[in-house]
Amino acid sequence: MELQAVLMAAGGGSRMMDLTYNTPKPLLPVGNRPLIWYPLNLLERAGFEEVIVITTKEVQKALSTDQRLKLDVKMKLNVECIQEDADMGTADALRHIQQKLKTDILVVSCDLITDVALHEVVDLFRAHNATLSMLMSKCTSSRRRVPVKKAEREQRDFVGVDSAGKRLLFMANEADLDEGLIIKKSVMRKHPRMHIRTGLLDAHLYCLKRSVVDFLVENKSISSLRGELVPFLVRKQFSKTSISRREEDHSDQSQKRKDATAALDEALLQLASERSCWNDHSGDMSEAYHGGRLRCYAHIMQEGTCYRVNTLTSYVEANRVAPKLFEEAAVHPSAVISERSQVGGDSIIGASCHIADKTSIKRSTIGASTIVKEKVKITNSIIMNSVTIEEGCNIQGSVICNNAVIGRGADIKYCLVGSGQRIEAEAERTNDVIVGSDQLMEI
Amino acid sequence: MADSEGNERSKQTAIINHAADEGDEKSLAEIQKAKNEGKELTKEEKLRLRKEKKQQKKGKKDDKGPTEKAPVKEKTANPPASSQPVTQNAAQKAPSAVSVPVSESTAPTDKSAKSKAELKAERRARQEAERASKQAKKEPGSQAPSSKSKAPPSELQPAVKRLPEHIQVDDPAVVRKLAKKLERQQKSGQGTSLNVSRVKIPLRSDYGYKVSLFSHLHQYSRKAPLTQQISIPATVIHPSIVRLGLQYSQGIVAGSNARSVALLHAFKQVIQDYSTPPNEELARDLVNKLKPYISFLNQCRPLSASMGNAIKYIKKEISNIPSQCKEEEAKKKLLSCVDSYVNEKITLAAKGISKYAIDKISDGDVILVYGCSSLVNHILCEAFEKQRKFRVIVVDSRPRLEGREALRRLVNRGIRCTYVLISAVSYVLPEVSKVFLGAHALLANGYVMSRVGTSQIALVAKAYNVPVLVCCETYKFCERVQTDSFVSNELDDPDDLIVTRKGKTHLADWQSETSLGLLNLVYDVTPPDFVDLVITELGMIPCTSVPVVLRVKNVDQ
């Protein structure tokens, strides 16, 4: 077997607590499908037959019992549960399941919605015998108004790639840089041309060698893949005492009886690369890859969709775009829509909905089992499951979570209505976040 | 009746003319007999026919004359005497041949209208005539091939040699056949596995407009790798083979020796991970498992002659594994075979060749090399270590610019080098004392197949009377015969020819120009007249001795 897929679905969605305080992030509906469906679909289309899903017990229960969360995946899901309050980082999770990992791994995050051709990332990993290969995308800025509590400014990521745009030379987050960007002279000597980009979105899709997992087991101090391991690997490419030597020690300990054959194989590979007349760079006197054993590559998507649903903005954005990725009937066959209502072409109606007369639904997503009464106007909104919207409401640019009830004649503009909330009749809310009192207490 | 007889006569004339053109008296007799066979298939006649055929094969022609007359007289035939054309080549046979039909013509005719049996008989007659004539021609030669000549029947002309499939890309029927063959290979390989998904080995599609002279070859784009069409965790094809195919198609492993070594390394991984399914023999099953892998690699990049020989060797070793051998032992034996092959044919051969070649390098030499040949680089580095004083001129060409890599390796060792592009070759040649060239393969007629541009250099060197030495290991000798670079070659990605300078790419949309084609050839053949010496580990031989080496190798194996 070549690659094992690992899906990280235990994240809490810390940047959109309003949405996730009741519903775990992997189960948030996007285009009327749970968020976890999108990476699973990506893996299935690529040809994976088995996925290891790391998630919480709550999610596992919901996935197996809840009928509304249709997953429709033919792959075998090995669900590994971790405690929700254990505060495990992604690297800790990998350490937790290290017994199950037998080959190189492909780590995917559950909030990734993309239509990338996975072979581009994996080919870099295979062809160059890389230690790490990841996916990045040119960020598309969103300009729509979305309900936000306060302006969220994200820390920038500085990513340095070589002139071909494939090899990762530098990676740091603004938060980690105290004064300025420091680039080592050894890097500049080996790669005189470096492109540093800040507008890239990290898709959290990594191909890692098996030896990296062993390294993680040894170094328990690393807890996050993205935050700590990846920058560490990128830095280690150019350090003299490279990680590869330590990796070799580990592999020697674990495969003592295969030492002789492995050494012979290495010799053959070495001979092949010596005899090959290929070099990845030209102009200096060093051999291919500058003799470095550790290599990190990134595939930067120029076109196509790639979203990470970890903020409210991106959630709304994804809801708008995700349904277009997959050919699906916009209106579920079991929805009951009266003839005198207007449902726009780019809206999605979930299963068992009731849409009454004289309603107008434009560019919105309506979840399953939602009841929309007469004379309601819904524009640019996301209505989740089992919501009741009484007559005469006007909902614009809002997110209404599960089981909410919007009273008669309410006018909701650019709001976020939390799970199970009741909006009283004739209410007028603009740019507001209406959540339950228990959520307020958490803050 | 008369008409039918007339028809028969004309038919006979045609047959006899044909037979006479073969110049064989036996065939005439056979025709008559076969014709008569159609009318009366008595057992006696059949037996006699068989006996006579046997006698003919033994070459007793003269004795047959009288014996043939007898049965023929009984039969009815009306070969007119006039139908005996004088176009018989074998003069000695002519009199007896003429006498036979003449005697036959006296016999009465019983022929009825043409029947299916008679048509069949005529066809059979034609076949036998052809066969007999072939045997007659081959009798002075060796006896062995005559048995093989029976194999392709039913063609009037001598059997047409079939073109290999990989150079018939412009024929859609052949491409379809190849696709089906890939499918079949995949399914047969999966026969005993539990895998449910039936993934075929994908067919890589051609890219771009192909220049008409080379439209029979494949042209692939590097941006459309074969891995696009197979599932990501490569279960159907072994991961190391997928990795190897990728490295081939992206050019990371390039050069004849490197490709063979990498191939053998991948095969070692395959053998290590292999486990014999129940009720199967390792010898046969492993060979079957390797077939789809080889097709896959062929789709990524056409196999080189050295790779072909390595594959043949491995397949032979695998099939020679005795069935009672246990799996672990068999695997260990195979792995050691691979290692010894690499050691003998590549590593030690390189040492042997450099020993011979260093003798040819004298102090003060100016040596010209082309592109990056691992063997030539090795020789030069060894010579430098043995304190020979020489300098090197490295000739390079677009689009691969492999000379830069050769230059880097030589300068790293401390050798004084000059670097020119191939357009400057005639300017530097007056200073050059020897030309060392590497080879991709050595063909059976003495032609050298090497990187495109090599024949150019050999030609110019010949014009300047500079000796050209080709260095090639014997495992690259192949039994193919080729006299030009068109019939079998490799087309690389045409987009490699496009160059971007100062941000401007002039040929960016070359495909929209209908009258423009980009051609990126990889190999060319150099005739043996331009090559003065071939240095192999068996010694220094002239180019024309390649078939001798091949024969000796085959005998050894």
Side-chain angles (χ1 to χ4, degrees):
Chain A
M1 248 223 302
E2 188 188 1
L3 275 185
Q4 273 176 296
V6 178
L7 182 63
M8 300 282 191
S14 49
R15 277 181 276 186
M16 37 187 212
M17 283 313 287
D18 312 319
L19 285 173
T20 56
Y21 74 92
N22 217 353
T23 325
K25 187 165 88 162
L27 302 176
L28 275 182
V30 174
N32 283 342
R33 281 186 188 273
L35 185 56
I36 201 174
W37 183 84
Y38 290 91
L40 284 176
N41 183 275
L42 175 71
L43 292 173
E44 188 173 357
R45 272 182 299 131
F48 278 93
E49 282 164 14
E50 258 192 63
V51 184
I52 302 176
V53 182
I54 302 181
T55 182
T56 56
K57 286 209 171 44
E58 195 187 334
V59 175
Q60 183 190 26
K61 213 168 59 167
L63 284 177
S64 47
T65 56
D66 204 334
Q67 290 296 78
R68 286 181 311 178
L69 303 171
K70 41 177 181 140
L71 272 189
D72 290 345
V73 283
K74 299 188 192 70
M75 302 185 291
K76 191 170 137 217
L77 301 177
N78 298 338
V79 184
E80 274 287 319
C81 290
I82 58 170
Q83 297 295 351
E84 197 176 293
D85 46 1
D87 199 18
M88 279 181 124
T90 38
D92 299 323
L94 277 185
R95 219 172 284 134
H96 179 75
I97 58 161
Q98 59 126 338
Q99 296 297 332
K100 285 195 172 179
L101 303 174
K102 308 241 174 358
T103 67
D104 302 336
I105 54 177
L106 174 73
V107 180
V108 190
S109 169
C110 70
D111 51 13
L112 176 67
I113 298 180
T114 179
D115 62 351
V116 71
L118 257 190
H119 76 91
E120 307 254 6
V121 180
V122 182
D123 279 351
L124 281 176
F125 182 68
R126 288 167 176 153
H128 298 277
N129 211 9
T131 313
L132 162 74
S133 165
M134 55 189 285
L135 173 68
M136 298 193 124
S137 162
K138 279 172 107 164
C139 228
T140 49
S141 59
S142 60
R143 296 187 207 106
R144 297 162 64 84
R145 278 186 75 181
V146 284
V148 287
K149 263 196 247 178
K150 59 179 187 290
E152 294 169 339
R153 250 194 62 225
E154 299 202 21
Q155 301 266 316
R156 288 183 293 180
D157 265 330
F158 292 95
V159 178
V161 289
D162 72 345
S163 40
K166 295 282 173 198
R167 182 104 186 252
L168 267 181
L169 302 174
F170 180 81
M171 177 170 289
N173 191 293
E174 198 174 343
D176 299 329
L177 302 169
D178 300 323
E179 305 151 343
L181 216 79
I182 299 179
I183 302 181
K184 284 164 61 167
K185 211 197 281 186
S186 58
V187 180
M188 291 307 297
R189 232 181 268 130
K190 292 180 181 168
H191 299 267
R193 297 184 90 97
M194 191 194 306
H195 296 266
I196 301 194
R197 308 170 75 148
T198 51
L200 289 179
L201 168 73
D202 183 346
H204 275 229
L205 193 148
Y206 307 112
C207 272
L208 292 168
K209 263 215 170 116
R210 178 72 180 88
S211 45
V212 175
V213 178
D214 294 334
F215 170 74
L216 279 179
V217 169
E218 295 290 314
N219 298 57
K220 299 212 195 303
S221 59
I222 299 185
S223 70
S224 157
L225 279 184
R226 173 65 179 90
E228 293 168 47
L229 182 67
V230 171
F232 175 77
L233 286 177
V234 172
R235 269 200 313 274
K236 276 296 177 190
Q237 287 180 96
F238 304 105
S239 79
K240 297 209 179 76
T241 56
S242 67
I243 189 178
S244 60
R245 218 167 297 162
R246 267 189 282 170
E247 285 173 19
E248 279 167 29
D249 294 331
H250 294 313
S251 60
D252 281 346
Q253 286 167 16
S254 54
Q255 302 173 22
K256 269 195 180 136
R257 58 187 175 87
K258 287 189 186 166
D259 246 355
T261 47
L264 276 177
D265 288 350
E266 274 301 309
L268 263 189
L269 262 187
Q270 187 70 15
L271 180 64
S273 58
E274 265 173 43
R275 296 303 184 105
S276 172
C277 53
W278 177 82
N279 206 325
D280 65 330
H281 64 277
S282 69
D284 65 356
M285 296 298 266
S286 46
E287 52 182 356
Y289 306 124
H290 300 277
R293 305 280 301 274
L294 205 161
R295 304 182 271 276
C296 300
Y297 285 85
H299 171 69
I300 302 179
M301 272 174 81
Q302 306 288 335
E303 51 194 16
T305 36
C306 181
Y307 288 101
R308 280 209 60 224
V309 180
N310 51 1
T311 60
L312 199 47
T313 326
S314 46
Y315 175 70
V316 173
E317 200 50 38
N319 253 301
R320 201 172 48 88
V321 166
K324 296 189 194 127
L325 283 180
F326 310 105
E327 291 138 25
E328 266 206 0
V331 177
H332 199 274
S334 65
V336 174
I337 304 179
S338 86
E339 291 88 42
R340 284 193 282 167
S341 61
Q342 287 176 338
V343 176
D346 37 9
S347 298
I348 302 188
I349 316 287
S352 317
C353 280
H354 281 266
I355 314 283
D357 300 340
K358 299 198 195 139
T359 50
S360 152
I361 301 178
K362 293 201 181 102
R363 290 188 292 273
S364 300
T365 311
I366 314 280
S369 311
T370 305
I371 302 173
V372 178
K373 299 257 171 74
E374 290 90 0
K375 297 200 200 127
V376 170
K377 201 159 153 238
I378 305 179
T379 325
N380 287 334
S381 299
I382 301 166
I383 318 281
M384 293 196 199
N385 306 327
S386 305
V387 171
T388 307
I389 303 181
E390 305 284 346
E391 294 119 19
C393 286
N394 184 356
I395 303 179
Q396 212 174 324
S398 304
V399 178
I400 318 271
C401 296
N402 290 335
N403 299 315
V405 177
I406 313 290
R408 203 180 282 196
D411 193 5
I412 316 276
K413 288 202 181 81
Y414 306 112
C415 289
L416 171 80
V417 179
S419 262
Q421 295 304 308
R422 281 192 69 92
I423 307 291
E424 60 276 7
E426 308 296 336
E428 271 189 33
R429 304 294 182 100
T430 313
N431 276 330
D432 209 354
V433 176
I434 302 139
V435 291
S437 50
D438 46 351
Q439 167 64 356
L440 290 172
M441 283 212 300
E442 267 184 50
I443 299 169
Chain B
M1 264 310 253
D3 280 348
S4 64
E5 284 176 4
N7 287 342
E8 276 181 322
R9 207 173 298 142
S10 55
K11 267 266 172 168
Q12 276 182 2
T13 317
I15 296 171
I16 290 167
N17 277 341
H18 170 72
D21 288 343
E22 311 276 0
D24 198 347
E25 163 266 320
K26 295 177 289 193
S27 54
L28 288 170
E30 278 191 320
I31 289 162
Q32 305 305 318
K33 268 178 280 149
K35 196 178 164 303
N36 302 330
E37 259 182 47
K39 290 197 309 186
E40 290 176 59
L41 293 163
T42 57
K43 274 194 182 175
E44 290 176 55
E45 294 308 317
K46 281 190 198 166
L47 278 171
R48 220 174 297 159
L49 263 175
R50 268 183 232 138
K51 268 193 217 160
E52 276 152 357
K53 274 187 217 165
K54 277 190 200 162
Q55 284 177 351
Q56 284 172 14
K57 282 174 201 168
K58 284 172 191 165
K60 294 168 191 167
K61 299 166 198 170
D62 293 333
D63 296 352
K64 269 196 213 136
T67 52
E68 281 166 350
K69 281 184 195 168
V72 162
K73 268 189 187 156
E74 290 173 36
K75 298 296 175 214
T76 59
N78 50 350
S82 59
S83 72
Q84 296 316 302
V86 211
T87 55
Q88 290 185 9
N89 302 338
Q92 58 186 6
K93 295 176 191 166
S96 49
V98 171
S99 63
V100 168
V102 164
S103 58
E104 285 163 7
S105 61
T106 56
T109 57
D110 273 349
K111 266 232 139 82
S112 56
K114 263 242 162 10
S115 63
K116 271 193 188 169
E118 283 174 330
L119 285 169
K120 255 199 216 167
E122 280 160 21
R123 247 181 282 134
R124 223 179 290 142
R126 251 180 276 143
Q127 291 173 19
E128 284 163 4
E130 197 196 335
R131 215 179 294 144
S133 68
K134 274 195 192 161
Q135 284 160 15
K137 278 184 198 159
K138 282 176 188 164
E139 268 171 22
S142 56
Q143 285 293 331
S146 63
S147 55
K148 284 188 201 157
S149 68
K150 285 187 196 154
S154 77
E155 274 194 7
L156 274 176
Q157 316 91 308
V160 175
K161 210 164 177 189
R162 284 188 198 250
L163 291 168
E165 280 169 353
H166 66 270
I167 60 167
Q168 284 196 73
V169 174
D170 51 353
D171 185 356
V174 173
V175 176
R176 252 178 281 136
K177 227 190 341 169
L178 173 65
K180 272 204 203 132
K181 180 178 123 184
L182 286 174
E183 239 188 86
R184 243 184 295 130
Q185 272 185 352
Q186 190 47 50
K187 284 186 183 157
S188 68
Q190 278 200 342
T192 52
S193 73
L194 298 168
N195 202 348
V196 175
S197 60
R198 311 275 247 153
V199 181
K200 317 188 269 281
I201 291 186
L203 198 60
R204 203 169 174 194
S205 50
D206 286 345
Y207 166 76
Y209 169 70
K210 286 193 274 195
V211 173
S212 60
L213 268 176
F214 294 94
S215 56
H216 60 286
L217 300 170
H218 285 289
Q219 180 172 282
Y220 300 128
S221 166
R222 202 153 294 148
K223 295 203 200 71
L226 204 50
T227 48
Q228 220 170 334
Q229 302 166 47
I230 61 174
S231 70
I232 296 275
T235 42
V236 167
I237 304 174
H238 194 272
S240 52
I241 301 276
V242 175
R243 168 170 302 169
L244 187 64
L246 258 180
Q247 287 179 332
Y248 281 164
S249 62
Q250 292 184 6
I252 296 176
V253 175
S256 183
N257 280 336
R259 285 165 75 186
S260 310
V261 172
L263 174 74
L264 291 170
H265 168 83
F267 276 173
K268 274 179 84 171
Q269 307 285 321
V270 170
I271 293 173
Q272 273 168 3
D273 295 339
Y274 173 77
S275 58
T276 326
N279 305 331
E280 291 278 351
E281 250 188 53
L282 182 135
R284 257 172 296 157
D285 189 59
L286 187 52
V287 175
N288 282 341
K289 261 230 157 55
L290 289 180
K291 281 199 191 123
Y293 298 164
I294 294 167
S295 303
F296 175 78
L297 291 175
N298 202 14
Q299 296 273 299
C300 290
R301 193 174 162 191
L303 296 181
S304 67
S306 53
M307 286 166 68
N309 287 341
I311 290 172
K312 260 189 235 156
Y313 173 78
I314 289 238
K315 282 192 174 167
K316 196 172 74 79
E317 287 297 318
I318 295 178
S319 347
N320 284 346
I321 296 225
S323 47
Q324 62 269 24
C325 200
K326 274 191 298 204
E327 191 175 311
E328 282 304 316
E329 262 183 59
K331 281 203 224 176
K332 237 186 350 179
K333 183 165 169 296
L334 284 175
L335 295 175
S336 67
C337 279
V338 170
D339 286 327
S340 69
Y341 186 83
V342 172
N343 196 28
E344 278 174 29
K345 305 278 182 181
I346 300 177
T347 323
L348 291 177
K351 283 208 186 110
I353 292 176
S354 36
K355 207 161 55 85
Y356 288 118
I358 288 174
D359 287 338
K360 289 286 178 189
I361 301 178
S362 29
D363 283 348
D365 262 350
V366 179
I367 299 178
L368 187 119
V369 297
Y370 177 63
C372 184
S373 163
S374 54
L375 188 54
V376 172
N377 291 344
H378 180 87
I379 290 171
L380 293 177
C381 294
E382 291 275 307
F384 191 73
E385 261 161 51
K386 297 231 165 77
Q387 315 298 329
R388 295 273 195 277
K389 305 272 177 295
F390 59 93
R391 68 182 179 91
V392 176
I393 299 182
V394 179
V395 179
D396 202 5
S397 70
R398 276 198 71 229
R400 285 179 174 239
L401 291 171
E402 287 169 338
R404 294 185 301 185
E405 187 57 22
L407 183 70
R408 181 187 74 79
R409 289 179 195 195
L410 294 175
V411 172
N412 245 342
R413 290 302 194 107
I415 303 174
R416 278 174 52 212
C417 297
T418 311
Y419 177 85
V420 293
L421 286 179
I422 193 169
S423 39
V425 126
S426 51
Y427 295 108
V428 292
L429 261 172
E431 325 176 342
V432 172
S433 53
K434 307 192 165 61
V435 177
F436 271 82
L437 297 173
H440 172 256
L442 234 57
L443 306 175
N445 57 348
Y447 279 65
V448 177
M449 183 179 202
S450 186
R451 185 68 80 223
V452 65
T454 315
S455 62
Q456 185 92 336
I457 293 199
L459 172 69
V460 183
K462 181 86 180 166
Y464 280 90
N465 273 328
V466 174
V468 173
L469 294 88
V470 169
C471 309
C472 182
E473 299 97 334
T474 53
Y475 87 107
K476 290 185 192 160
F477 286 16
C478 84
E479 277 151 24
R480 231 169 49 201
V481 169
Q482 214 177 306
T483 52
D484 61 58
S485 319
F486 296 92
V487 80
S488 174
N489 208 322
E490 189 188 323
L491 291 179
D492 209 357
D493 191 348
D495 290 339
D496 286 349
L497 290 173
I498 302 174
V499 69
T500 306
R501 289 219 176 89
K502 296 185 184 171
K504 277 199 282 200
T505 314
H506 293 281
L507 284 175
D509 47 355
W510 64 274
Q511 307 226 36
S512 52
E513 291 274 350
T514 45
S515 49
L516 178 65
L518 292 188
L519 178 66
N520 192 355
L521 281 179
V522 182
Y523 298 117
D524 71 7
V525 285
T526 310
D529 327 333
F530 298 154
V531 176
D532 293 304
L533 200 61
V534 175
I535 308 182
T536 69
E537 71 265 25
L538 301 174
M540 298 193 264
I541 59 177
C543 239
T544 43
S545 304
V546 168
V548 177
V549 171
L550 279 173
R551 196 164 63 223
V552 166
K553 257 202 325 176
N554 287 340
V555 165
D556 276 345
Q557 288 172 3

